[in-house]
Amino acid sequence: MKKILLLGIFGFLLLAVVGCNRFNITTTTTNTEETTTTSRTTTSEGQTTTWESKVTISYWNSLTGADGVVMRQLVQLFNEEYQGRIEVTEVYTNEVDYYTNLNILVPMGRGPDVAIMHSYLVQSYANRELIIPIENYINSSGVDIQTEDYIQDVIQSLYFEDMLYGIPLDIHTVGIYYNVDLLNKYSLAVPTNRQELLHAAKTVQAGEKAAGRNNFWGLPLSSVWPSEWIFTTSLYQNNGLEIDSEGNPMFYTDAGKTALKAVTDLIHTENLSPINLGVDQDLFYFQTGQALFHIQGSWMLNSMIESGINFGVIPLSHMFNSDQASYSEKIHARSHTFVIPMQTRTVTDLKKLAIMLFVKYLGDHSYVWATAGQIPASNIARATNEYQSLPYLNGFGQVENFRVSARSPYFHEAYSPVYSRVTAALLNSNYNADTLLSAALEEALQLIQAAKGQ
């Protein structure tokens, strides 16, 4: 399985290298004294740019895991495609240091030319003027980037005060990985809703424990990660909201309490998981054949393949609410998004063009990025044969069911306090939902006031 994946990635990268570039015509002139290269780039607007010298772009991101390896490959492909005209220098750090660096260095004029940012933070950084509207770069460069070519739920989340601040690269979400061999062993169908999921998990767990596998579980859950993704999905599926239209916290509601119960019941009522599992302990159970199901992100896809386990993927739709309403299909998702940090120096039109060519290239070639488990936000990339032939990704659900965080410059302050309370509820079967969620609400309101300087 691993060899097949690697061969597949190589094939996609090769296609990207030899694929036609829709923007470039290059001519080379040689004389006896020196060799010079004159390159012309023609945009969709019919504008032609002559590259007299190479433009260097600094690009920052927080992609340090297995997906980072694929990003390094994409940057290399772009640099080879635009050799002599554009060179992208990439800097990547872990997520905590990454955002700390942006916060400190961008106001000092030491930030990058282009950066990756998680979609739920774009509003906040736009409000603090640490990033600038990207549509200004699109318009001045003439590069053919159309907002309708991307998943609309993601695009709409990137507007702040009627200006577009980002172009999405992907959308990533969580799904349910299942052990194919165990479902077959017990003649069970792949679940499509919560009732079927619980039935399968209980059947296999009981059967395996009866056979002497006392440490086998139907659906082990870490109390820490990715619990925030799971709870938010449950909140959506119970017709709840993270925040209202004014940006106020909305998780302390009947929908929020029902959503919390739907998650914690998997441990405390259905007894499908041990209590107090740390980060990735649930993953270990699954990859070693000691669990039937595992809820995890699409970004762990390659890790699953490399483990050698025979698995499939199903979406989280209908797993936290038995209603047939459309909201019970919704799944929490986020996006890695290209943004333009605030600059203290004048950015030339040539550099703006180079930046947008880079953004466009990575979006159009994000079927390569998909080999890291990230779903392209570009409708163009998802329609390619290269993407359509990739295994597993469609199992995470239909993109129209993916829902990104609500828009607010104070979203993180308004919603993140709920995460630790979800962990507390997963750890304690006697938790009090009102106590936990009301405490999260109080903390959220304090954080919002502090962020607003009040």
Side-chain angles (χ1 to χ4, degrees):
M1 183 75 73
K2 182 176 179 181
K3 290 182 179 179
I4 293 173
L5 174 70
L6 294 175
L7 287 173
I9 291 176
F10 177 80
F12 293 131
L13 295 177
L14 183 61
L15 283 169
V17 171
V18 302
C20 294
N21 186 321
R22 68 176 68 183
F23 298 113
N24 298 285
I25 302 171
T26 304
T27 60
T28 302
T29 304
T30 305
N31 58 36
T32 56
E33 296 182 353
E34 63 179 349
T35 300
T36 61
T37 300
T38 302
S39 303
R40 294 181 177 84
T41 298
T42 303
T43 71
S44 62
E45 305 270 325
Q47 302 168 339
T48 299
T49 301
T50 299
W51 303 81
E52 298 292 352
S53 60
K54 183 172 66 178
V55 176
T56 300
I57 301 170
S58 58
Y59 166 49
W60 289 8
N61 61 65
S62 59
L63 306 168
T64 58
D67 53 359
V69 175
V70 180
M71 179 55 70
R72 311 292 95 81
Q73 294 169 334
L74 269 171
V75 171
Q76 180 181 351
L77 290 172
F78 177 85
N79 283 337
E80 291 172 356
E81 185 84 20
Y82 286 87
Q83 187 174 8
R85 292 159 286 170
I86 307 171
E87 182 179 8
V88 174
T89 59
E90 183 185 10
V91 175
Y92 48 94
T93 53
N94 69 76
E95 187 171 319
V96 173
D97 290 342
Y98 175 71
Y99 284 108
T100 298
N101 290 340
L102 286 177
N103 293 336
I104 295 173
L105 297 178
V106 168
M108 297 170 60
R110 295 169 55 192
D113 296 310
V114 61
I116 285 286
M117 181 170 289
H118 289 92
S119 55
Y120 71 95
L121 293 173
V122 168
Q123 295 266 323
S124 173
Y125 276 75
N127 183 53
R128 290 184 287 150
E129 299 182 343
L130 291 177
I131 58 176
I132 62 175
I134 200 168
E135 62 184 281
N136 295 341
Y137 276 48
I138 297 173
N139 294 335
S140 65
S141 68
V143 174
D144 185 21
I145 294 178
Q146 305 292 333
T147 56
E148 57 265 29
D149 289 336
Y150 298 88
I151 298 172
Q152 286 305 293
D153 190 54
V154 180
I155 279 288
Q156 293 305 314
S157 74
L158 304 178
Y159 280 90
F160 176 70
E161 295 183 347
D162 299 324
M163 296 290 286
L164 182 65
Y165 278 81
I167 295 296
L169 172 63
D170 64 35
I171 191 165
H172 46 276
T173 189
V174 293
I176 302 176
Y177 293 82
Y178 64 91
N179 187 309
V180 173
D181 295 334
L182 285 170
L183 280 184
N184 291 338
K185 177 180 177 180
Y186 288 86
S187 301
L188 293 166
V190 176
T192 61
N193 56 47
R194 184 178 179 88
Q195 182 179 2
E196 294 172 358
L197 180 79
L198 295 178
H199 171 70
K202 290 178 179 179
T203 299
V204 176
Q205 179 174 297
E208 294 300 294
K209 286 184 181 294
R213 302 183 69 191
N214 294 325
N215 208 29
F216 185 94
W217 298 93
L219 178 53
L221 286 176
S222 166
S223 58
V224 182
W225 177 264
S227 56
E228 65 190 62
W229 291 75
I230 299 171
F231 171 75
T232 305
T233 295
S234 183
L235 186 63
Y236 294 161
Q237 292 186 12
N238 286 281
N239 204 23
L241 298 170
E242 307 117 302
I243 60 174
D244 62 18
S245 59
E246 301 299 320
N248 301 308
M250 283 294 291
F251 51 78
Y252 183 29
T253 59
D254 288 343
K257 289 185 282 186
T258 301
L260 186 60
K261 187 176 187 302
V263 175
T264 58
D265 274 359
L266 296 172
I267 297 176
H268 304 317
T269 301
E270 308 298 346
N271 299 311
L272 296 174
S273 171
I275 296 177
N276 196 23
L277 285 183
V279 176
D280 288 343
Q281 283 186 288
D282 49 350
L283 173 65
F284 175 79
Y285 273 108
F286 183 78
Q287 290 186 328
T288 56
Q290 300 179 81
L292 175 61
F293 297 118
H294 175 57
I295 301 178
Q296 186 56 265
S298 57
W299 53 87
M300 289 298 294
L301 190 56
N302 283 350
S303 175
M304 293 297 187
I305 294 171
E306 290 170 2
S307 73
I309 195 164
N310 184 16
F311 74 93
V313 184
I314 53 177
L316 280 175
S317 293
H318 302 294
M319 295 302 173
F320 299 102
N321 191 332
S322 58
D323 293 349
Q324 293 303 306
S326 59
Y327 53 73
S328 69
E329 300 175 342
K330 298 305 178 183
I331 304 168
H332 178 51
R334 294 177 183 172
S335 171
H336 290 112
T337 300
F338 291 107
V339 296
I340 305 298
M342 180 271 296
Q343 305 293 327
T344 58
R345 293 173 291 184
T346 300
V347 181
T348 66
D349 289 340
L350 196 60
K351 175 165 277 194
K352 291 179 182 178
L353 173 61
I355 291 169
M356 296 321 299
L357 287 172
F358 175 64
V359 171
K360 173 70 172 175
Y361 182 94
L362 263 63
D364 285 354
H365 293 77
S366 54
Y367 55 81
V368 179
W369 179 234
T371 63
Q374 313 286 1
I375 300 167
S378 165
N379 300 334
I380 296 171
R382 290 198 320 282
T384 62
N385 291 331
E386 291 86 354
Y387 177 76
Q388 292 296 323
S389 64
L390 288 173
Y392 304 115
L393 286 173
N394 287 333
F396 289 95
Q398 300 175 355
V399 294
E400 55 267 29
N401 289 332
F402 298 157
R403 179 169 155 184
V404 297
S405 302
R407 291 166 54 181
S408 169
Y410 307 105
F411 173 82
H412 185 67
E413 291 82 359
Y415 190 60
S416 62
V418 80
Y419 302 153
S420 63
R421 275 69 184 194
V422 172
T423 292
L426 289 168
L427 290 171
N428 181 8
S429 60
N430 296 316
Y431 75 88
N432 185 293
D434 287 296
T435 300
L436 292 175
L437 295 180
S438 63
L441 174 61
E442 182 178 354
E443 181 183 344
L445 294 175
Q446 292 174 351
L447 289 173
I448 292 171
Q449 287 183 336
K452 291 181 177 180
Q454 298 176 350

